[in-house]
Amino acid sequence: MPLFDLPLSELESYSPEIPIPADLVPFWTETLAETRRHDLALDRTPYDNKLALIETEDLTYAGFGGTPVKAWLHRPAGVEGPLPTVVQYHGYSGGRGFPHATTTWAQAGYAHLVMDTRGQGWSAGGPSGTADWAPEAGVNHTPGFMTSGLSDPRHYYYRRVYADAVRLLDVALALPEVDASKIIVTGGSQGGGITIAAAALAALSDIPLVGAAPDVPFLCHIRRAVELTDRLPYAEITQYLAAWRDHAEQAYATLAYIDGAVLGRLATAPTLFSVALMDPICPPSTVFAAYHAYGADASDPVLDKEIRVYGHNGHEGGGPYQIDAQLDWFAERFASTS
Amino acid sequence: MPLFDLPLSELESYSPEIPIPADLVPFWTETLAETRRHDLALDRTPYDNKLALIETEDLTYAGFGGTPVKAWLHRPAGVEGPLPTVVQYHGYSGGRGFPHATTTWAQAGYAHLVMDTRGQGWSAGGPSGTADWAPEAGVNHTPGFMTSGLSDPRHYYYRRVYADAVRLLDVALALPEVDASKIIVTGGSQGGGITIAAAALAALSDIPLVGAAPDVPFLCHIRRAVELTDRLPYAEITQYLAAWRDHAEQAYATLAYIDGAVLGRLATAPTLFSVALMDPICPPSTVFAAYHAYGADASDPVLDKEIRVYGHNGHEGGGPYQIDAQLDWFAERFASTS
Amino acid sequence: MPLFDLPLSELESYSPEIPIPADLVPFWTETLAETRRHDLALDRTPYDNKLALIETEDLTYAGFGGTPVKAWLHRPAGVEGPLPTVVQYHGYSGGRGFPHATTTWAQAGYAHLVMDTRGQGWSAGGPSGTADWAPEAGVNHTPGFMTSGLSDPRHYYYRRVYADAVRLLDVALALPEVDASKIIVTGGSQGGGITIAAAALAALSDIPLVGAAPDVPFLCHIRRAVELTDRLPYAEITQYLAAWRDHAEQAYATLAYIDGAVLGRLATAPTLFSVALMDPICPPSTVFAAYHAYGADASDPVLDKEIRVYGHNGHEGGGPYQIDAQLDWFAERFASTS
Amino acid sequence: MPLFDLPLSELESYSPEIPIPADLVPFWTETLAETRRHDLALDRTPYDNKLALIETEDLTYAGFGGTPVKAWLHRPAGVEGPLPTVVQYHGYSGGRGFPHATTTWAQAGYAHLVMDTRGQGWSAGGPSGTADWAPEAGVNHTPGFMTSGLSDPRHYYYRRVYADAVRLLDVALALPEVDASKIIVTGGSQGGGITIAAAALAALSDIPLVGAAPDVPFLCHIRRAVELTDRLPYAEITQYLAAWRDHAEQAYATLAYIDGAVLGRLATAPTLFSVALMDPICPPSTVFAAYHAYGADASDPVLDKEIRVYGHNGHEGGGPYQIDAQLDWFAERFASTS
Amino acid sequence: MPLFDLPLSELESYSPEIPIPADLVPFWTETLAETRRHDLALDRTPYDNKLALIETEDLTYAGFGGTPVKAWLHRPAGVEGPLPTVVQYHGYSGGRGFPHATTTWAQAGYAHLVMDTRGQGWSAGGPSGTADWAPEAGVNHTPGFMTSGLSDPRHYYYRRVYADAVRLLDVALALPEVDASKIIVTGGSQGGGITIAAAALAALSDIPLVGAAPDVPFLCHIRRAVELTDRLPYAEITQYLAAWRDHAEQAYATLAYIDGAVLGRLATAPTLFSVALMDPICPPSTVFAAYHAYGADASDPVLDKEIRVYGHNGHEGGGPYQIDAQLDWFAERFASTS
Amino acid sequence: MPLFDLPLSELESYSPEIPIPADLVPFWTETLAETRRHDLALDRTPYDNKLALIETEDLTYAGFGGTPVKAWLHRPAGVEGPLPTVVQYHGYSGGRGFPHATTTWAQAGYAHLVMDTRGQGWSAGGPSGTADWAPEAGVNHTPGFMTSGLSDPRHYYYRRVYADAVRLLDVALALPEVDASKIIVTGGSQGGGITIAAAALAALSDIPLVGAAPDVPFLCHIRRAVELTDRLPYAEITQYLAAWRDHAEQAYATLAYIDGAVLGRLATAPTLFSVALMDPICPPSTVFAAYHAYGADASDPVLDKEIRVYGHNGHEGGGPYQIDAQLDWFAERFASTS
């Protein structure tokens, strides 16, 4: 059934109670503090992207545990800035790949940072990679990254990734080309999940963002997702719990720390979501759960939010239509910030 | 079997005899003449692509039968030219879509023309479309465009598309922003098939090209493709001939007029092909057949040719690696032309 | 889930509110008037069907826009009539095919008309075809016919097909072999959708029918169908709206003009429906929606109606069991008309 | 790969050595003798087929082991005959079903016998069935009939079916409506396999046939089929031998007695085969093996043979095109016999 | 949707009304009486299982209709007993196979009887088989055993299997190595369905059992299962009723006699069930229906019951976790019986 | 095509030239030396397996890099030995799981060691796991273990696993319950690949084995496997090289160090292989390549070798038939060693 989830009328007010770990904030505060104990160790190396209009640098910085994490920094060629800046996170399996492959926000005239996702990259390839250089990387898990470290939130893979993502915001703040008062975070699917996390953790870190734009975000209301879809990557969790049948409660307890419908409550930046009603990878109710939770626990709950609904799409979501909408929304946000 | 076609060692010299229609050249000469009898009727309208670095115009010109065909013209913002120019054709189901969706060659500093494919567009969507405004469009055929008009080469769909493609070269030559001595044609899959055809028909029209770069081209050695793959779009032909069991010989006779492994023999421009050895959509032997035939019947057979082989890829082919190779190859070609 | 739709107990009273275009009747009245402005141009040519018991003629008549449409006329060999007559429409992808392929109603002793479906035929093949000779045939659409002209009801493919279907009733009335007081329309799947339309439009045209027998009809409550099934041909619409994401409301507005659960409200003839509860192509709720709407807006709402429910079948529906039921029902209807 | 088997040029002379059981002829001679020891016990009951042009009787006769086997006898209504006669056998899963479902040869003016296949019928349904009333029916086997009794040719399912098929020829000879000098046997898929067997066993029984017309026959060169296709029903054998890994040699020894490429060598009637080059159910080489073997061991090897090749079809084969060809071929054969 | 059935909270009290045949008890009483009229004809033959720790005998006994049924008897090598005893029934397609393949309960120190399932074995293979030596075995049915004899409960396949299962309990009582006061029945899937039946019919026969342990049982609340799943073997019923469209009510009337959610009401032994919430073969609601019905109609309704729920598993259910739980539960049950 | 690989007649002599790394022996000699620099750190803890006949201990020992690796030690209850001993390695995704799940060789009267596979276990679950506690575990790779560390043989995952496997032989030699002159290694699929490696590396370490019994071994002639099958886990390599298109030569260079058709040349123990001709996971030619290479480079090339061929099986191979054959072969080998 293409419309396999709740009907739109119910989605529009779908706001389930999802248990929030008692120590959610301290967990992340400590995680970030621990990560920041490592020097940022930022390295900038010019990189020939072969594009005349865009200038690219190959960045390396210290992510979680001090692991060297890669990123691209794109800018309009010859422009020094400081510029409004878009920080982009990639979907599952991807990574920063080639510099010419992801330049939309630089084309739009902004500084554009693209984070590599540690351990991933197997759909993007490219000239280099970011290993998940963590001792826990080899714990027993199903193929993929979703279940790596599921038995302890401190060992869980996405703790490291989210910390990397925040650390890239630290990089942005450190770059003279970046106008620190004009940063937007964005990404699709896993990149959308990281976007929500980055927005929440930026708030915890008092990093101001002028917007967060997650598309068809993954990693939201995960327990429901596991019940609703048998498609990867959520199904990695099903596969794990089908074997280790007695680990389910601990697994869901761990996942609560990184769930976008939980963590996103802390976000404070305005937001533009997108969701697709026939998305079998990231079911729409899990996205709406995150959308409605977003910013709910900010001291000033976020009211400036919007979600674009694509009625006949699967996980490709809005595709170029959403890019078009974001081009407008980003321009407005950057313009309204003086 | 992933490597379902011939082994690479045989592919490297795979050069089958494919029957060439006796009137191949007159057929196309007349087709182009007939097309050019319609005024080019070029319309240029500025279009807000929302990208600061690139300027886009919405072009309309008279294609086959005078049908209005759409194209994007991208240029580095504020640059008048004349510029080296890349003309790009799209894959099956696609079309020009949104202007922000296909700008690589403008980013590289070139003028960049993107043709809409008549009747198609159902994977790209976008703000407008190019109808296949031909009386034959409604003849009996299987879903899709592959079998539309198969019983007569004059009514066959790709006759119209190829004529549109050449007419876009006429447009290029007419644009002051285009350096007429520096034009490369390119495209992937169907766009690769059109690229080969454009290279051949440009030769017939004495339009000089400095290169043709077809990626994993479709529409090559079609009879073998039908025998080798049950995947769409080649399988549209199978489906058609499974119903109209007595039309096979006529169908293959028609297809010979547009087959890249036949028509491409007439091309004269240097070429950079790509092929993927596990490509179930455009089997590698059909691509190699076209590669080896390419330019073979030019008065000066084309020797300046190269094919990049991707050993573990399906129809995605070289993806960003091939773009990377093309960025180099195009730059060299444009540089070597004074 | 085999029983993926509503349970039978709910289906039996499933009668959703579906918006009716304000100009539904004028739209069709004008369409038929426009069609009838073309001379019927009926051509009858004897055709050797190679069957001793049945005599076949190859008919051609002017359908929508004057396009020549093909049909078979079968009769018991050597019988002049006038005879009770069955007019049959074919399922999607089919067409009239070979004359020996569809003769049930002639075997039963009736005159039997079989309409070719313009543009289709790719599952039937056969000695000839009916092109969709309309200028709009080439507008952008997904493979298949479901989305051809979706942006304007006047250009939509099924407007032409339904007009052809009514015009074949005009042919029937013009044939001396047909007893004009004893005509039944029938067909399965797309043929069922056309049957409902023919019954409605016959009523608009004051053509008396003694029955309409749609089996597992397609083209009913289309918006719900698109939400319920990912199977072709309904999925052609999904595919279209997945690309042109902003066309949905116009598309559904167009579809309302040809939806069997809308148009069928105008029918006046008694009816025998069939439905299959595990039908993933034409979901049972869409059929029941049409069944309950059928004849509801006739001046004399149709009460003489029946639906055969096949509990364990997919789109094959009742198959030979339904033919058996129709053989009885048709005989009764023809007998009760003096 | 659609053309997964040998190329046509090799198929045209594909005539493999297949071991012939030493006692093939005595095995079948004794089987038929044993079957004929049971009285034919023919019962004829008029049956209302609801078709005015065709008269049907419900036949019951004693098949193998005396089991009551069902058949339909159709005739042009009101015609006594004796008539040229077509005896038809059904495809796997089918059976005689409803009388209105299979009447082509009666429509053509012939007497038309349709055999029910014992134990089967699950795709046809219908008013009655023929149980496989044999003690061996319950021996261990995979789902389906292909492996029932595989460990002993005397217990194998198709021994019983082939005997039933010959016994229906005995019935034909006993019917006054049948012109015994004008009988053709035919059928598709399993029905094609039975047709070949009936032609061979008719020769052993001195029953004259004027033709045998197997379409895309199943049950031919079975060992090769098992190696070439993973589709049912051949795959029932694979499944059986995947479990009982030590039974393969005995299984193939049993199958040799009923293999159409073995047994068909004994046939003497002229033949019209059909084959489809993309048939994944009955691979073309297995059909060609049977075609070339057909009649090879007749005292007068059969030279009057023809095979229609459908190049782009799967197991549907020639469909209505082959019926069309058979209508001609049958008429010629019947005409040439005085 | 992985969690395609009711949510756990509803399953925990899911207790549907399922019609109980009026003559359920007499039907089975007579079936068992009739079966027992045949002498047990127990044959014990030592069999070399090649395992030093376990001694195996090849048993043959008279099942339903006197058919010789096979079983393995395993014991700890050199131990005479009498021993606590586990009687195991196999899943669909399986059978007793090789003696070394199923020895868990002998390893645990018990006598262990393993019944062969008549006619089956095609996933196990092995040195011998048990034919379904019944005259009704050849009645028309879809491939497999689920629909064999569906038109009459007396001819239905599982009547014979359940009688065989009870007869193996008679064998157990007759063996000096078995402690008749310590017998547990168990099995998974079809073996779970037979386990429930054996528990019910043991109660009818006054055979005391100390436990019944069905895992993910098949053959429960069958009508609902047919509506919920399109997976084999339940889908054999769908396939049957899709052809014989008028047999549904009789079919379900037959199935009621062997449905575990009906027959299990008669059971009296304590029970340990297991169920998997993502089981597409034996949907969880059908298992819960049986669980809640189990023992409900015993003079002393069974209260000593437990069900292990596996939240993320398909039909593999608890696998080794459930074995682990059974090792404990069986040991407790055996210990608590003095 | 079920028989998709070479025909048996060719397989029987299929012995391709596969490049052997020049430093193969030093690579492994150093790897083992480095591994043995860590103390064996053997820990033995009694474990309640709940089986009366078998006694189990939970072993932990230092594998590659000193990582603690888990294993089960099973013995016939109450028997001290020294006993002939079977060391078993598991298939991909598995691991030692529950102790009751893998006891065949203990049932046969032997000491039975079962190695846990580091990082894996996601199809077995169980009470504990062995993490792949290596710094390289987090390098970029596709989901699964096949491509972890592919860019350097020293970082490749299977280097660690093979070293663990040899280290378990060291454990065996250290156990008083083990008769060091009577050790056989065995396993299926990945366990078969590890078996071949263990046999080769045991030879390098002068550990005497009386036999090696790999079933349908994985990790053999890997380059050919990648070309022949698109099934996991070999397809993990395809997926990796489809992204990192320029890594293929390095990847295959790495794989050569662990390829069973390369490394197995060094083995000296007699061997019993098995292979399945329809195995799409481990294609038969890759197994035959390893079989023919096995022991070819021993100072005394291994002549005592045998391969059981299963003609109709997929990756399940011989299943219980092969166990049956191994029970005999192991008993003979153990008996012939005094």
PDB file of all heavy atoms in Angstrom, chain E residues 302-318:
ATOM      1  N   VAL E 302      -7.214 -25.067  31.386  1.00  0.00           N
ATOM      2  CA  VAL E 302      -5.772 -25.008  31.627  1.00  0.00           C
ATOM      3  C   VAL E 302      -5.364 -23.586  32.019  1.00  0.00           C
ATOM      4  O   VAL E 302      -5.572 -22.643  31.263  1.00  0.00           O
ATOM      5  CB  VAL E 302      -4.999 -25.453  30.369  1.00  0.00           C
ATOM      6  CG1 VAL E 302      -3.496 -25.335  30.609  1.00  0.00           C
ATOM      7  CG2 VAL E 302      -5.381 -26.873  29.974  1.00  0.00           C
ATOM      8  N   LEU E 303      -4.797 -23.459  33.193  1.00  0.00           N
ATOM      9  CA  LEU E 303      -4.326 -22.158  33.664  1.00  0.00           C
ATOM     10  C   LEU E 303      -2.808 -22.090  33.630  1.00  0.00           C
ATOM     11  O   LEU E 303      -2.223 -21.008  33.599  1.00  0.00           O
ATOM     12  CB  LEU E 303      -4.810 -21.907  35.093  1.00  0.00           C
ATOM     13  CG  LEU E 303      -6.332 -21.932  35.250  1.00  0.00           C
ATOM     14  CD1 LEU E 303      -6.724 -21.722  36.708  1.00  0.00           C
ATOM     15  CD2 LEU E 303      -6.952 -20.830  34.366  1.00  0.00           C
ATOM     16  N   ASP E 304      -2.216 -23.272  33.702  1.00  0.00           N
ATOM     17  CA  ASP E 304      -0.759 -23.342  33.728  1.00  0.00           C
ATOM     18  C   ASP E 304      -0.250 -23.165  32.301  1.00  0.00           C
ATOM     19  O   ASP E 304       0.096 -24.137  31.624  1.00  0.00           O
ATOM     20  CB  ASP E 304      -0.368 -24.701  34.314  1.00  0.00           C
ATOM     21  CG  ASP E 304       1.137 -24.872  34.412  1.00  0.00           C
ATOM     22  OD1 ASP E 304       1.882 -23.971  33.974  1.00  0.00           O
ATOM     23  OD2 ASP E 304       1.558 -25.931  34.914  1.00  0.00           O
ATOM     24  N   LYS E 305      -0.269 -21.948  31.817  1.00  0.00           N
ATOM     25  CA  LYS E 305       0.212 -21.728  30.457  1.00  0.00           C
ATOM     26  C   LYS E 305       1.014 -20.439  30.338  1.00  0.00           C
ATOM     27  O   LYS E 305       0.842 -19.512  31.122  1.00  0.00           O
ATOM     28  CB  LYS E 305      -0.919 -21.786  29.426  1.00  0.00           C
ATOM     29  CG  LYS E 305      -2.133 -20.938  29.643  1.00  0.00           C
ATOM     30  CD  LYS E 305      -3.167 -21.310  28.541  1.00  0.00           C
ATOM     31  CE  LYS E 305      -4.384 -20.411  28.572  1.00  0.00           C
ATOM     32  NZ  LYS E 305      -5.274 -20.692  27.426  1.00  0.00           N
ATOM     33  N   GLU E 306       1.858 -20.426  29.355  1.00  0.00           N
ATOM     34  CA  GLU E 306       2.827 -19.340  29.197  1.00  0.00           C
ATOM     35  C   GLU E 306       3.146 -19.209  27.709  1.00  0.00           C
ATOM     36  O   GLU E 306       3.135 -20.186  26.969  1.00  0.00           O
ATOM     37  CB  GLU E 306       4.102 -19.750  29.954  1.00  0.00           C
ATOM     38  CG  GLU E 306       5.185 -18.697  29.956  1.00  0.00           C
ATOM     39  CD  GLU E 306       6.468 -19.183  30.633  1.00  0.00           C
ATOM     40  OE1 GLU E 306       6.435 -20.222  31.346  1.00  0.00           O
ATOM     41  OE2 GLU E 306       7.510 -18.551  30.408  1.00  0.00           O
ATOM     42  N   ILE E 307       3.386 -17.982  27.298  1.00  0.00           N
ATOM     43  CA  ILE E 307       3.770 -17.784  25.893  1.00  0.00           C
ATOM     44  C   ILE E 307       4.981 -16.856  25.860  1.00  0.00           C
ATOM     45  O   ILE E 307       4.982 -15.795  26.490  1.00  0.00           O
ATOM     46  CB  ILE E 307       2.592 -17.249  25.045  1.00  0.00           C
ATOM     47  CG1 ILE E 307       2.984 -17.160  23.565  1.00  0.00           C
ATOM     48  CG2 ILE E 307       2.083 -15.907  25.548  1.00  0.00           C
ATOM     49  CD1 ILE E 307       1.793 -17.018  22.618  1.00  0.00           C
ATOM     50  N   ARG E 308       6.022 -17.262  25.148  1.00  0.00           N
ATOM     51  CA  ARG E 308       7.197 -16.413  24.970  1.00  0.00           C
ATOM     52  C   ARG E 308       7.022 -15.610  23.691  1.00  0.00           C
ATOM     53  O   ARG E 308       6.752 -16.196  22.631  1.00  0.00           O
ATOM     54  CB  ARG E 308       8.481 -17.268  24.840  1.00  0.00           C
ATOM     55  CG  ARG E 308       8.799 -18.097  26.057  1.00  0.00           C
ATOM     56  CD  ARG E 308       9.332 -17.208  27.194  1.00  0.00           C
ATOM     57  NE  ARG E 308       9.439 -17.981  28.412  1.00  0.00           N
ATOM     58  CZ  ARG E 308      10.603 -18.414  28.924  1.00  0.00           C
ATOM     59  NH1 ARG E 308      11.743 -18.132  28.288  1.00  0.00           N
ATOM     60  NH2 ARG E 308      10.624 -19.123  30.030  1.00  0.00           N
ATOM     61  N   VAL E 309       7.182 -14.326  23.818  1.00  0.00           N
ATOM     62  CA  VAL E 309       6.948 -13.419  22.694  1.00  0.00           C
ATOM     63  C   VAL E 309       8.285 -12.914  22.160  1.00  0.00           C
ATOM     64  O   VAL E 309       9.075 -12.337  22.915  1.00  0.00           O
ATOM     65  CB  VAL E 309       6.069 -12.232  23.136  1.00  0.00           C
ATOM     66  CG1 VAL E 309       5.846 -11.281  21.971  1.00  0.00           C
ATOM     67  CG2 VAL E 309       4.740 -12.740  23.691  1.00  0.00           C
ATOM     68  N   TYR E 310       8.531 -13.120  20.878  1.00  0.00           N
ATOM     69  CA  TYR E 310       9.757 -12.639  20.240  1.00  0.00           C
ATOM     70  C   TYR E 310       9.396 -11.470  19.342  1.00  0.00           C
ATOM     71  O   TYR E 310       8.711 -11.640  18.337  1.00  0.00           O
ATOM     72  CB  TYR E 310      10.436 -13.790  19.485  1.00  0.00           C
ATOM     73  CG  TYR E 310      10.891 -14.858  20.471  1.00  0.00           C
ATOM     74  CD1 TYR E 310      10.102 -15.975  20.731  1.00  0.00           C
ATOM     75  CD2 TYR E 310      12.065 -14.684  21.190  1.00  0.00           C
ATOM     76  CE1 TYR E 310      10.511 -16.917  21.673  1.00  0.00           C
ATOM     77  CE2 TYR E 310      12.474 -15.628  22.141  1.00  0.00           C
ATOM     78  CZ  TYR E 310      11.694 -16.733  22.374  1.00  0.00           C
ATOM     79  OH  TYR E 310      12.090 -17.649  23.312  1.00  0.00           O
ATOM     80  N   GLY E 311       9.822 -10.297  19.744  1.00  0.00           N
ATOM     81  CA  GLY E 311       9.310  -9.070  19.148  1.00  0.00           C
ATOM     82  C   GLY E 311       9.834  -8.740  17.766  1.00  0.00           C
ATOM     83  O   GLY E 311       9.167  -8.053  16.997  1.00  0.00           O
ATOM     84  N   HIS E 312      11.018  -9.188  17.441  1.00  0.00           N
ATOM     85  CA  HIS E 312      11.644  -8.772  16.184  1.00  0.00           C
ATOM     86  C   HIS E 312      11.897  -9.944  15.252  1.00  0.00           C
ATOM     87  O   HIS E 312      12.675  -9.814  14.304  1.00  0.00           O
ATOM     88  CB  HIS E 312      12.959  -8.042  16.475  1.00  0.00           C
ATOM     89  CG  HIS E 312      12.758  -6.758  17.224  1.00  0.00           C
ATOM     90  ND1 HIS E 312      12.507  -6.713  18.569  1.00  0.00           N
ATOM     91  CD2 HIS E 312      12.735  -5.456  16.800  1.00  0.00           C
ATOM     92  CE1 HIS E 312      12.356  -5.465  18.955  1.00  0.00           C
ATOM     93  NE2 HIS E 312      12.482  -4.671  17.912  1.00  0.00           N
ATOM     94  N   ASN E 313      11.226 -11.055  15.504  1.00  0.00           N
ATOM     95  CA  ASN E 313      11.492 -12.238  14.683  1.00  0.00           C
ATOM     96  C   ASN E 313      10.369 -12.553  13.728  1.00  0.00           C
ATOM     97  O   ASN E 313       9.209 -12.233  13.970  1.00  0.00           O
ATOM     98  CB  ASN E 313      11.725 -13.448  15.591  1.00  0.00           C
ATOM     99  CG  ASN E 313      13.054 -13.338  16.323  1.00  0.00           C
ATOM    100  OD1 ASN E 313      13.130 -12.743  17.402  1.00  0.00           O
ATOM    101  ND2 ASN E 313      14.105 -13.819  15.684  1.00  0.00           N
ATOM    102  N   GLY E 314      10.770 -13.176  12.642  1.00  0.00           N
ATOM    103  CA  GLY E 314       9.851 -13.790  11.718  1.00  0.00           C
ATOM    104  C   GLY E 314       9.609 -15.229  12.145  1.00  0.00           C
ATOM    105  O   GLY E 314       9.670 -15.557  13.334  1.00  0.00           O
ATOM    106  N   HIS E 315       9.376 -16.083  11.164  1.00  0.00           N
ATOM    107  CA  HIS E 315       8.935 -17.437  11.469  1.00  0.00           C
ATOM    108  C   HIS E 315      10.016 -18.280  12.147  1.00  0.00           C
ATOM    109  O   HIS E 315       9.710 -19.350  12.668  1.00  0.00           O
ATOM    110  CB  HIS E 315       8.439 -18.108  10.188  1.00  0.00           C
ATOM    111  CG  HIS E 315       7.656 -19.350  10.444  1.00  0.00           C
ATOM    112  ND1 HIS E 315       6.617 -19.408  11.350  1.00  0.00           N
ATOM    113  CD2 HIS E 315       7.759 -20.600   9.928  1.00  0.00           C
ATOM    114  CE1 HIS E 315       6.123 -20.628  11.370  1.00  0.00           C
ATOM    115  NE2 HIS E 315       6.796 -21.370  10.528  1.00  0.00           N
ATOM    116  N   GLU E 316      11.255 -17.794  12.163  1.00  0.00           N
ATOM    117  CA  GLU E 316      12.275 -18.531  12.922  1.00  0.00           C
ATOM    118  C   GLU E 316      11.989 -18.461  14.416  1.00  0.00           C
ATOM    119  O   GLU E 316      12.504 -19.262  15.188  1.00  0.00           O
ATOM    120  CB  GLU E 316      13.674 -17.999  12.617  1.00  0.00           C
ATOM    121  CG  GLU E 316      14.015 -16.652  13.221  1.00  0.00           C
ATOM    122  CD  GLU E 316      13.391 -15.469  12.480  1.00  0.00           C
ATOM    123  OE1 GLU E 316      12.666 -15.705  11.496  1.00  0.00           O
ATOM    124  OE2 GLU E 316      13.614 -14.311  12.896  1.00  0.00           O
ATOM    125  N   GLY E 317      11.162 -17.507  14.813  1.00  0.00           N
ATOM    126  CA  GLY E 317      10.731 -17.401  16.198  1.00  0.00           C
ATOM    127  C   GLY E 317      11.886 -17.298  17.166  1.00  0.00           C
ATOM    128  O   GLY E 317      12.891 -16.629  16.904  1.00  0.00           O
ATOM    129  N   GLY E 318      11.770 -17.991  18.287  1.00  0.00           N
ATOM    130  CA  GLY E 318      12.783 -17.873  19.327  1.00  0.00           C
ATOM    131  C   GLY E 318      14.059 -18.625  19.029  1.00  0.00           C
ATOM    132  O   GLY E 318      15.091 -18.371  19.636  1.00  0.00           O
TER     133      GLY E 318
END
